Amino acid sequence: VFFYIFRALPEEASYTLGNVVPSVLFAVGFLPQLREFVVTRDVSGYSFAVTAIDVAGCTANVIILFAPRSSSAAQAIMDSAPFLTIIVMHGALVLT
């Protein structure tokens, strides 16, 4: 169903709903944990192993999106926006 909806939408709307909105929602999902770390100044219970696995998986996806010679760097960055968001937000959690 979503496949047909996205195909019917203009390219800008499809990109916004398929890449921008998920990226924003991923970032928003990290904010409560980030706030908790800052307020309590404690990271008890945080799994650095899960973070490492998540970042490794996102990095692999970004590399695959940059791999084809036919795609431009700008297009690869746009396509990998959700994965880059996850990497950045995990970095923010680890650095707090």
Side-chain angles (χ1 to χ4, degrees):
V1 174
F2 289 111
F3 174 76
Y4 296 109
I5 293 172
F6 275 86
R7 288 195 58 174
L9 291 173
E11 187 175 335
E12 296 82 18
S14 178
Y15 173 75
T16 301
L17 289 175
N19 284 340
V20 175
V21 171
S23 297
V24 170
L25 292 175
F26 277 133
V28 168
F30 279 90
L31 293 179
Q33 188 69 49
L34 186 61
R35 180 188 174 282
E36 187 71 20
F37 287 174
V38 171
V39 169
T40 64
R41 297 180 187 247
D42 184 29
V43 294
S44 296
Y46 183 71
S47 176
F48 290 96
V50 171
T51 294
I53 291 169
D54 200 15
V55 169
C58 289
T59 302
N61 283 318
V62 170
I63 289 170
I64 288 172
L65 289 169
F66 275 95
R69 295 179 192 265
S70 60
S71 69
S72 68
Q75 184 63 41
I77 289 173
M78 288 177 21
D79 291 342
S80 62
F83 302 115
L84 294 172
T85 301
I86 292 171
I87 293 169
V88 168
M89 294 309 291
H90 273 301
L93 286 177
V94 170
L95 294 176
T96 54

